[in-house]
Every structure is written in structure tokens, then in C-alpha cells.
Amino acid sequence: MDKMKLIIDVDPGIDDSLALLLAGVSPEFELMALTVVSGNIEVNQAARNARFAMKIVGRDDVTIAKGCELPLVRNYVDATDTHGKDGIGEVYYPKEEPIDHGSATTVISRLLRQYPYQITIAALGPLSNLATILKRDAEVLTLAKEIVIMGGSVNVCGNCSPVAEYNFWCDPHAAKIFFDAHLTNVTLVPLDVTYKILLTPNMREMIRQFKTPLAQYVVNITGFYVDFHWAQERTLGCVINDPLVIAYLLDRSILTLKKGHVQIEIEGIAIGESVIEFREKDSSKLSNIAQSVDSKKFFELFLTRVFSEQKDDIQLMIEKGMIL
Amino acid sequence: MSKRKIIFDTDPGIDDAVALLTLLNYEPFEVLGITSVAGNKGITHTTDNASKLIKYSQKDIKVYQGAHSSYLRVKGGLPAEGRDGGNVHGVDGLGGVGLPVDPNNISSISAIDFILDSVRTYPGEIEIISVGPMTNLALAIDQDEATMRKVKKVWSMGGGVFRGNVTPVAEFNYWFDTVSVEKVYSLGNDVDIVMVGLDATHQCIFDANDLAFIRLAAGEKGELIYAMVQDYLSAYWKFNKYIGIVIHDLLPVLMAIDPTVCSRLVHSNLRIVHEGLTKGQCIVDLVDSWKLNKNAYVVMDMDVRKCKELFMEVCFNQKVKETYQSVFPTL
């Protein structure tokens, strides 16, 4: 079977890094490029963090290209309060730069033209890179086979305001340009489903006991996140949004979808809100919106793939009801 | 109303430490003193550890040093066995958290004298929570059995009906000193002896979620306990494949505070095996097939949720318990 050609547009980021691990170890993917954007952390450190994650899983071969340093219009606000000063929990502070492959937007455009209708894009950060491409050349993104976005919130509170999720709130104008382009085969994975993906202290403790460098890395980068979640919202454990997108590409039964028209608010107190009209009849405007998630299936997939050597222990813990 | 009078006989030990921090925080009890015994660690370590915990809790009570090894070794004039290597309790017995000893709270009176004096002063009133080998109690019985029959209650952590830890059938405290166990249960007609064994304690696993909660929500004492149990946690992963710990010695303390944390208690005959393959096994006649005297109240099931909530309330405070309830809601 042909591998799925995948570009990940990303701003690592703690949960982003976990998504990169999952993608890096999954043989179903041909990782065409990681294109980096300022979001959780500014683009230069985000690129170093991406490289760091890929090295951990022995995938230093993957192209990493840096993109937008700033949102299109808004002043840039990072999320280092959540992700730590280095973007990955203040343990590693990666310093190694990725090899220069040119700009993210150029890399994405070139790959889409080279492999028309063959490439899936997983967009896990603010949509600044994709919007920049759209502004320059509205046609090129139509060459993507599928685009899956982590962002927005529908019927749950946002994480930057009561109605806004960080990726869209950080660069609402980019999100608006993206959704107003009405590309076909776009799927939105909002907070409504990612909130259900809670990496619990029990899971972290199990991973800690695996005692491999990869396990140590996962435990180390998520520690900060756990403390943040507790301090912020009295949640015990940390929500890991981004790996859900990658897992969905591997197993479509993890999410259920519903068609809706996505519009983005770009001003006022609701800035960054994703407004979804599920009654929209014009099919050209519709995207897929994730409605529900099988979190058990997600974690089984995520854990047994990233920690494939400890598969038996993971299965045993699931059987004992200790982690799921 | 006068407070219930408690003596805590212990070999700290990490689970002992958590039990003691809980006990010392429970106002309705008057803890007369802490008696140390060799077990999890040698007697110097267990005495020092008790001293550290008293100092940490800022309580005006003393630790009374007890037996340096098991009954037969003490009686035979043999030296203590070396038990001070690193094990599940860490090299110092408290997971290496580095609390200071307070020499002023270590009494020169022996554990045995202290126990006997206390019972003579308050006959029928003293409750002993025994969470280590029962050597001190047995030596006190040897010295003055009539007085020891005036103990009100013994809350014992040890033994097991259907499970062991040192061997498939033997639990450490009872296995370590079987003779003492037999002597103590020989008082069973006059003294209520409640056995909280491994059947009960293993039901109450404090998992990594609970421990993370304790670290985050339960203040400085919570952080101390979290730090103290880290190696213990790794040991439970290694030996039991638990993502969590069993705080054995805490459960008799919780039982003493609120007996309704026990959901099945069986009054039965208990005997212990002294040698051979099953050394240290306590044989509990749950169905009364031997028709022997019922010398033990054996805890078979715990209300786990109630145990955890009571722990959060007593070891920390009401607020921590309420936070626990909101973080881990029940139906």
C-alpha cells in the first residue's frame, strides 16, 4: 500500500511534540515536511523543538522548514505560560537548528505542485503559513488531498477566551482567510473533542517506569503542562490536543464528523471564535467538524505506537483498568 | 469527653510515616507515645525516623526504642540482622527526604516499660496501633501478661488471608516474628485484636492520579509525602505492576478513626505457622471449621473511597477532602 504523504504544519509546543512523535514512528506516513509557524512559541525555537522531537524517534531525516514569524495582522502572543519558556516544558531548551530548507510556504507550495492531490496536511498551529500561501496563490492549496486542522471550539469554552481557542485566537485573520477559501476536504478538530484527550498522572507514571530516553522525554515535557492545568483549571493531568489529529489520520474511527460551515470572528470580544453553522445548505462551504472522540481508542493507539517496546505492559495496564 | 489513648508501635518505613503523619493530625486521639521496633529497617533507623516525624509534626510526644530484632533473637541474645541496605523504603527508610532527627524527643525509657506503664496507668483504655513486627508487644506480655490483658484494643497491620508479600502466603510483619504474633493473639479472649492484612490493604491503591493530587492540592505536607513515596512507587511498578502504592500501615489508623471504612469484618480464629514452606502464614478460619476460640477480628474488605476521603480529611484538612471530591467525582 502506498504511504500517506503528510505535511505537518506545527508550532511545538508540548502536545505538538507528542503529535510529532506519533507521526514519526508510524510507518503509514511518508513525512514530506514539518513546516513550522510561530504559535505556542516563536518560530525559531519551535523549529529547534521540532528537530529535537524528531531526533528522539530517530527521524532526523525529515525536512523542517520555518514559516511565519508573526500572525498576519494581530500582535503576536505566544503560549509560553502553558508550554514553558522553551515551548516544551523548560527541561531541554533545545539549541540545535534544523537544516535550512527554505521557507515553509515555499516548501508546501512546491510539494503540493509536485504531488498534486496526494498530500495530506495536518495543521496543528495558527494558520499563518497556509493563509500566506492562499494570499499569494489561491490555487495551490486546492492541490492538497486533505487538510485536517486542530483549532476552534464549538460547544465548549475556549482556552484563550470563553469562546476562542488559541490557534485561531493567535491568528484569527489567517484562520478567516483559510476557511473563507472553502477548500474541499477540510476537517476541523476542535477543543470539543481534544478536551477529552487527557494524559493522566497514571499514564505519565507508567511511561516514567518505562525508563527509556523517549519515555523520559515524554514525562519531562509534560510535567510543566500538568502543573499548568492544575493551577489554571483544577484539571488533574494534561490535555494533549495535537496528537489526536495524527491518530485520526491513522484510524478514522477515532472521530465522528458532522458537516458545517466554519466562519471566524476577527474582531471584538469574540475575536478568534469559530462560528459553525450546521444548517448551511451550500455544500461548497462545508467542512467536517469532529463531534465525538473515542478517547480509549486514541490512547491505546498513541501509547502502543510511541512505546511499542512496552506494548505488553500497556495492554496489561489497560486490562487492569489502571490507565483507561 | 476524654480523648482515646493511643500508642503507635512502628518501624518507619514509608507507609508507617504516612500513617503516623495522619495519626498525629487527628485531634480526638491522645497519642501517648510512639514505640519503635526493628522491621522495615534496623532499630536505630526506625527510632530516628519516628523522631523525625514527631519533630516534623511539632508534637510534644516521645519515641520509646524497642526491640532490635525478632523475639527469638532478642531472647537468644543474638545481634540484629542487617536490614539497613536500600530496599523499597529507601536507604534511610523514608525515601531519602532528609528530615532532621530531634534527640530531645527520643526517650531513655524502653518501649516495653513504656507500654506496660501506660497500661497500668490507664487499664482498659489503651489502644495500640501496631504496624510493625509485634516483638515489643510480645516482650511486654512476657514481662507482665496480666497487664497486657488490660489493653483495650490492638489494631494490627499484618498478615493476610489469601495473599502474602514476602512469600506467596506470608506477609512481612507477621513473617518477621511469628512467635510474637502468636503471643499477641493469645490475648484475643480479653483484648479485641483487629487484623488489617494484605487482603484489605491491597484494595486501597493510591494510584498516580491520587499522588499527583496530593502533590498539587495538599500543600507542603502533600509535597513531602509525594517526594517520600517516589521510590516506593517504582517498587510497586516493579513488583506488582501497579501504577500506584499501597500504604498498608495507614489502614489500621483509618480503621481506628472510623471503623466504618471496613466493609467486611470477620470474627474468627487465627493461628500462625512458625516454620517450613508456609512460615509466617496466618491461617484464618473464616468459616469456623475448627470451632476454636475467636481471637481475631479480620478485615476482609475496605470501602476504598471512604478510606481515601478520610485520609485526605485527617492527614490534611476538610478543604483538601472537598477538592478531592470535586476532582474525582463519584456518581
Side-chain angles (χ1 to χ4, degrees), chain B:
Chain B
M1 210 183 81
S2 69
K3 293 185 172 188
R4 282 164 64 189
K5 295 182 173 55
I6 307 287
I7 293 173
F8 191 66
D9 191 61
T10 181
D11 59 335
I14 289 166
D15 56 329
D16 309 64
V18 177
L20 185 52
L21 292 175
T22 306
L23 177 70
L24 292 178
N25 214 33
Y26 188 60
E27 286 300 322
F29 282 173
E30 180 184 358
V31 180
L32 299 180
I34 294 167
T35 51
S36 62
V37 65
N40 289 325
K41 289 286 164 184
I43 189 65
T44 312
H45 267 121
T46 58
T47 306
D48 283 355
N49 288 341
S51 160
K52 292 174 192 175
L53 294 160
I54 294 169
K55 180 169 174 61
Y56 175 81
S57 299
Q58 299 179 306
K59 296 289 175 184
D60 184 22
I61 56 173
K62 289 195 165 23
V63 53
Y64 302 85
Q65 183 160 309
H68 64 68
S69 51
S70 61
Y71 181 89
L72 290 178
R73 292 184 79 89
V74 172
K75 287 287 187 177
L78 297 170
E81 303 156 293
R83 289 199 61 83
D84 289 337
N87 63 7
V88 297
H89 297 277
V91 174
D92 64 350
L94 290 182
V97 291
L99 297 172
V101 174
D102 179 2
N104 297 320
N105 66 26
I106 301 177
S107 172
S108 58
I109 298 167
S110 82
I112 288 93
D113 288 343
F114 173 72
I115 292 170
L116 288 170
D117 287 348
S118 301
V119 181
R120 285 179 196 124
T121 311
Y122 302 106
E125 284 189 63
I126 302 285
E127 298 176 57
I128 300 174
I129 301 176
S130 156
V131 299
M134 290 177 146
T135 321
N136 291 338
L137 306 191
L139 293 170
I141 292 168
D142 272 6
Q143 211 161 322
D144 185 351
E145 182 175 328
T147 293
M148 286 304 281
R149 284 191 182 272
K150 290 174 188 149
V151 168
K152 183 182 179 192
K153 236 178 178 114
V154 175
W155 305 91
S156 158
M157 191 283 129
V161 181
F162 299 118
R163 64 188 301 164
N165 54 15
V166 183
T167 77
V169 295
E171 180 278 333
F172 175 79
N173 286 343
Y174 283 16
W175 167 89
F176 187 81
D177 191 348
T178 59
V179 176
S180 292
V181 172
E182 183 163 300
K183 282 178 180 289
V184 171
Y185 280 95
S186 75
L187 307 181
N189 285 343
D190 297 309
V191 180
D192 289 344
I193 305 171
V194 180
M195 179 186 112
V196 187
L198 297 179
D199 309 275
T201 63
H202 272 269
Q203 291 176 1
C204 191
I205 297 171
F206 285 80
D207 68 13
N209 290 345
D210 293 323
L211 297 174
F213 172 85
I214 289 168
R215 174 176 73 85
L216 292 164
E220 181 228 354
K221 198 194 289 178
E223 287 173 22
L224 174 78
I225 290 174
Y226 183 83
M228 203 155 63
V229 302
Q230 287 308 298
D231 290 344
Y232 199 58
L233 185 58
S234 292
Y236 272 100
W237 171 262
K238 194 168 159 199
F239 298 116
N240 295 71
K241 277 284 145 74
Y242 288 179
I243 309 174
I245 59 173
V246 180
I247 314 177
H248 303 280
D249 296 345
L250 173 64
L251 297 174
V253 171
L254 297 179
M255 269 293 281
I257 292 169
D258 178 1
T260 68
V261 296
C262 167
S263 51
R264 185 159 72 105
L265 187 69
V266 184
H267 193 199
S268 43
N269 176 263
L270 181 151
R271 290 196 286 176
I272 188 142
V273 179
H274 294 293
E275 51 193 59
L277 178 67
T278 59
K279 182 198 164 193
Q281 180 174 15
C282 56
I283 300 185
V284 176
D285 190 4
L286 290 173
V287 294
D288 201 21
S289 53
W290 282 336
K291 308 289 179 210
L292 293 171
N293 69 316
K294 296 185 175 179
N295 58 350
Y297 290 89
V298 179
V299 177
M300 292 305 294
D301 290 310
M302 306 290 297
D303 181 335
V304 174
R305 176 72 183 199
K306 208 167 185 175
C307 286
K308 289 183 180 177
E309 287 186 5
L310 185 62
F311 169 69
M312 297 299 166
E313 181 184 343
V314 176
C315 189
F316 308 109
N317 55 51
Q318 179 70 21
K319 172 100 194 318
V320 170
K321 175 182 136 177
E322 283 164 12
T323 312
Y324 186 81
Q325 287 167 330
S326 71
V327 173
F328 299 100
T330 49
L331 286 175

Side-chain angles (χ1 to χ4, degrees), chain A residues 79-92:
Chain A
T80 52
D81 58 339
T82 317
H83 294 263
K85 287 193 199 78
D86 66 344
I88 56 168
E90 301 184 357
V91 177
Y92 294 105

Side-chain angles (χ1 to χ4, degrees), chain A residues 180-248:
Chain A
D180 287 353
H182 299 149
L183 298 165
T184 54
N185 211 3
V186 169
T187 299
L188 179 65
V189 180
L191 291 180
D192 301 58
V193 286
T194 66
Y195 273 153
K196 309 254 166 68
I197 304 299
L198 186 71
L199 185 77
T200 64
N202 277 353
M203 292 179 197
R204 286 187 70 237
E205 180 57 30
M206 175 186 73
I207 294 167
R208 191 173 77 93
Q209 295 296 347
F210 292 163
K211 295 193 162 70
T212 61
L214 171 61
Q216 225 160 37
Y217 167 77
V218 170
V219 170
N220 283 341
I221 67 172
T222 53
F224 189 89
Y225 226 20
V226 169
D227 289 3
F228 173 84
H229 272 80
W230 177 260
Q232 194 71 14
E233 57 205 26
R234 290 289 180 268
T235 297
L236 195 62
C238 55
V239 173
I240 52 171
N241 308 292
D242 292 340
L244 180 56
V245 171
I246 307 300
Y248 166 69

Side-chain angles (χ1 to χ4, degrees), chain A residues 21 49-61 96:
Chain A
L21 300 182
N49 295 347
R51 168 157 197 187
F52 197 76
M54 295 315 280
K55 263 191 117 160
I56 295 263
V57 287
R59 292 302 310 273
D60 217 14
D61 57 303
E96 216 177 337

